[in-house]
């Protein structure tokens, strides 16, 4: 849509006053480039001007003598001048730096602008350099004080948003995230708008006289207004909710593009969020708003007399008078109470009354997000962009705070949600803000006491955050151990210099309180063979971070190592080896588990609160069961693989029972290896088989027997549907909990063959039937003389190892001969080990042709 023009201005005709053609001007007077057309009817910042015609005299050059502009009988509150003074070299100091044309100098009397009234009286205003006028070429930081650049501020989409809209990014990455540019930044050269106040607005003006004084200057245009508020002063942010007129449409982002304000800027015009506030105040664990396709929330800055224009077709538009804006619910454009009251928001823990780090969301009566100061109005959900202490769950946006923040709030109802992990009762409420509200205090109650019973939580998989932000998010999510993983994405490296192979942020040894820890490890990655997370190891970083070419390592990199070699180095350096985001990539992980180089398998979910995501991946669970069925008693862990604000740190998390250990990072690793863990997106789960916890073994005589299985589950918000006792991968006992938050039970289970037992908890954030919400690690139940070995699963695992060998042999980029031999030997070792177990268990099988071929080729 064309830039809109305010109706409150009358351009002054300068035809008889123009002295030169601006095209003929040179050096410091040359016409500025990039500020728009400088002839004919133009508008600058929504203000219309009648400029001169091309190819003739079209600008007033003030030099030597004054210029008279007859205006007949003009009445005005302000006369707006579009002008510039000649560039000049700044003279900072005798003998120093006298070559810079930076516009830093100020105060010279450039000209006098005089108003001659019809009654013969006159008023003269001095036009001082850098006050009312500035030169066209300036350096950063040399703005004028009483004049504005002739271009409005601009508003931009981020780079990713531009790509969603099918555009090449108009602003580069990073710069795009600022979402705006001042008028000053939008062109290299400038013209300046100055509003000359008329001290006698009631008296008709007969003539304007512009008289040069100490410098040369150019006047391109003059326009008059009767507006009483200063026509160039920027307004502060306001909001309105617009019901879209017929013909207006939203873009792919759900934003209204064809919208403008004449004397102001539309900051954003985004689909409004409609909350059901009765549900908000209810017990549902997640309440999301509906994104409207009928209404937008417009945030804007404008002059009090500005008008809003919305395109309704290619050359039609609807105009709204922002001066007449009301809060009446039935108007098409509703004033939304502006968030102008700074209020301190404090969150304390009930028992101690001490501030507690939390994740917080606030919105106003019209669904408008109200970010704490220092946070985005629109949280950027995209990969590797804006990696700060924020989270966005579909349309609900959140900030992480250290127990206190300042939020600019509207007067009236404000809706709040505050959470702190899976043992603290979440708060979702409404408060009323008045003109006297300075402080809002919320109290959080810890209702589950699993930490007190030796359980600590961890996210085994976080990327991109700074360690300090990871610590804050861990505290606010109740995640005691955050594993921040450095890695490589092609030519991009992340968190590499946050790794020192030594420090645990938050640990008492490093000045912390020891209750929340961040440790930087690495996720070493390659596309085909797989990814592996190396946590908490000491000493040198294990390189290569990634190998084997794109998209994990860089194009042209050789396939230098196997994951098994990475794992062995991590073990040698005292670390914990986790196979991330089961089940993929499925390939070498099979070999490494067979080689017993893996300490835990990770189930990953970016954000279990998002109704479009899976809470706990059933394919990952199935993959894990396969190894349990072969007797590899891998504990389960949970990690978010957080790489953006759309992902929830600790959304899926590991609970580890410390046992008798104190809580330190290395004890957490040891306890996790010991295997009494569970993975959860909400409910907490405890299991005993004959009094033995997950990670342990129960032995039965050759005839088998009956074992007692007892369990307990508790949840602060996610309703539990069903609790299942899983034996060898199949549910053999189910307890229906019917959306309760707590349950316990026990059962006698008959066992005839060696197997394993674990607890699986079903329940859903969105009431989806059958979703898995938590899963414990397994207790092995071994019947003497009967090995825990599933032939079917052995075949599937062997085939993966053969696949890894095939890849290394054929299309993997080749390293030096010695490295290649070593890699192949590692994979062969895994193959042989499993192969032998298969034969020991009487399993005869067909070897894959590719593998047979390779064997004969080798020999
Ligand atoms: Zn990965
Ligand atoms: Zn990752």
């Amino acid at each position: 849509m064309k830039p809109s023009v305010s109706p409150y201005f009358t351009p002054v005709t300068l035809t008889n006053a123009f002295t030169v053609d601006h095209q003929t001007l040179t050096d410091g007077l040359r016409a500025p480039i990039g500020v728009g057309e400088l002839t004919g009817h133009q508008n600058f910042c929504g203000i219309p001007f009648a400029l001169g015609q091309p190819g003739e005299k079209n600008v007033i050059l003030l030099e030597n003598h004054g210029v008279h502009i007859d205006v007949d009988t003009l009445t005005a509150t302000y006369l707006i001048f579009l002008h510039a003074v000649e560039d000049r070299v700044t003279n900072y100091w005798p003998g120093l730096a006298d070559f810079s044309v930076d516009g830093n100098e100020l105060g010279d009397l450039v000209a006098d602008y005089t108003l001659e009234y019809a009654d013969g009286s006159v008023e003269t205003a001095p036009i001082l350099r850098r006050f009312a006028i500035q030169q066209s070429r300036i350096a950063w930081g040399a703005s004028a004080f009483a004049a504005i650049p002739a271009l409005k501020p601009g508003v931009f989409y981020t780079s990713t948003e531009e790509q969603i809209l099918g555009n090449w990014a108009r602003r580069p990455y990073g710069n795009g995230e600022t979402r705006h540019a001042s008028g000053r930044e939008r062109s290299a050269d400038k013209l300046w708008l100055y509003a000359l106040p008329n001290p006698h607005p009631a008296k008709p003006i007969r003539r304007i006289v512009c008289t040069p004084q100490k410098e040369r200057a150019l006047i391109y245009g003059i326009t008059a207004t009767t507006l009483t508020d200063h026509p160039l002063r920027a307004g502060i942010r306001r909001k309105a909710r617009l019901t879209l007129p017929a013909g207006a449409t939203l873009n792919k982002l759900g934003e209204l593009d064809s919208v403008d304000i004449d004397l102001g800027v539309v900051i954003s015009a985004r689909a409004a969020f409609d909350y059901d506030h009765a549900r908000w105040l209810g017990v549902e664990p997640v309440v999301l708003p509906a994104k409207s396709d009928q209404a937008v929330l417009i945030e804007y800055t404008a002059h009090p007399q500005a008008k809003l224009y919305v395109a309704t077709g290619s050359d039609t538009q609807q105009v709204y008078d922002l001066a007449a804006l009301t809060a009446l619910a039935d108007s098409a454009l509703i004033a939304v109470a502006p968030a102008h009251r700074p209020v301190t928001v404090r969150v304390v823990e009930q028992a101690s009354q001490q501030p507690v780090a939390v994740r917080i969301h606030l919105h106003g009566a019209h669904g408008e997000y109200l970010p704490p100061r220092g946070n985005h109005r629109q949280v950027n959900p995209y990969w590797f962009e804006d990696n700060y202490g924020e989270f966005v769950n579909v349309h609900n946006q959140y900030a992480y705070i250290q127990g206190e923040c300042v939020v600019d709030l509207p007067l009236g109802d404000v809706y709040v949600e505050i959470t702190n992990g899976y043992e603290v009762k979440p708060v979702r409420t409404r408060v009323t803000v008045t003109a006297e509200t300075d402080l809002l205090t919320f109290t959080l109650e810890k209702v589950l006491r699993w930490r007190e019973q030796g359980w600590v939580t961890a996210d085994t998989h976080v990327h991109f955050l700074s360690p300090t932000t990871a610590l804050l998010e861990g505290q606010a999510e109740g995640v005691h151990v955050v594993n921040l993983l450095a890695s490589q994405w092609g030519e991009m490296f992340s968190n590499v210099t946050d790794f020192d192979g030594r420090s645990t942020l938050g640990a008492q040894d490093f000045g912390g309180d020891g209750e929340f820890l961040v440790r930087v490890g690495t996720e070493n990655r390659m596309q085909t063979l797989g990814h592996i997370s190396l946590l908490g190891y000491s000493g040198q970083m294990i390189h290569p971070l990634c190998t084997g070419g794109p998209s994990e390592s860089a194009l042209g990199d050789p396939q230098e190592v196997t994951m098994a070699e990475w794992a062995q180095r991590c073990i040698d350096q005292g670390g914990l080896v986790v196979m991330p985001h089961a089940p993929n990539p499925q390939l070498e992980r099979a070999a490494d588990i067979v080689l017993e180089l893996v300490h835990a398998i990770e189930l990953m979910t970016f954000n279990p609160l998002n109704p479009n995501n899976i809470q706990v991946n059933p394919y990952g669970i199935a993959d894990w069961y396969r190894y349990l069925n072969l007797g590899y008693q891998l504990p389960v862990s949970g990690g978010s693989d957080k790489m953006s604000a759309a992902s929830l740190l600790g959304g899926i998390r590991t609970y580890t029972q410390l046992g008798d250990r104190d809580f330190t990072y290395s004890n957490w690793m040891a306890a996790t290896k010991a295997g009494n863990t569970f993975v959860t997106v909400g409910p907490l789960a405890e299991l005993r088989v004959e009094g033995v916890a997950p990670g342990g073994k129960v032995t039965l005589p050759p005839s088998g027997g009956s074992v007692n299985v007892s369990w307990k589950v508790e949840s602060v918000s996610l309703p539990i549907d069903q609790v299942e006792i899983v034996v060898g991968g199949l549910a053999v006992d189910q307890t229906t909990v019917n959306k309760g938050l707590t349950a316990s039970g026990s059962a006698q289970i008959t066992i005839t063959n060696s197997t394993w037992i674990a607890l699986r908890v079903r329940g859903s954030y969105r009431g989806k039937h059958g979703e898995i919400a938590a899963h414990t690690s397994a207790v092995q139940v071994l019947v003497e003389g009967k090995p825990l070995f599933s032939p079917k699963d052995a075949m599937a695992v062997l085939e993966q190892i053969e696949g890894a060998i095939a890849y290394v042999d054929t299309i993997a980029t080749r390293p030096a001969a010695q490295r290649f031999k070593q890699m192949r030997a590692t994979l062969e070792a895994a193959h042989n080990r499993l192969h032998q177990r298969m034969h020991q268990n009487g399993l005869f099988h067909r070897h894959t042709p590719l593998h047979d071929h390779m064997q004969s080729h080798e020999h």
Side-chain angles (χ1 to χ4, degrees), residues 461 523 525 531 580-581 641:
H461 199 160
E523 186 186 5
R525 305 155 68 246
H531 296 187
H581 41 61
D641 205 356

Side-chain angles (χ1 to χ4, degrees), residues 497-515:
T497 47
D498 293 322
F499 177 94
D500 68 358
R502 190 178 69 85
S503 306
T504 301
L505 187 65
Q508 284 173 354
D509 291 354
F510 296 94
D513 66 3
E515 187 60 11

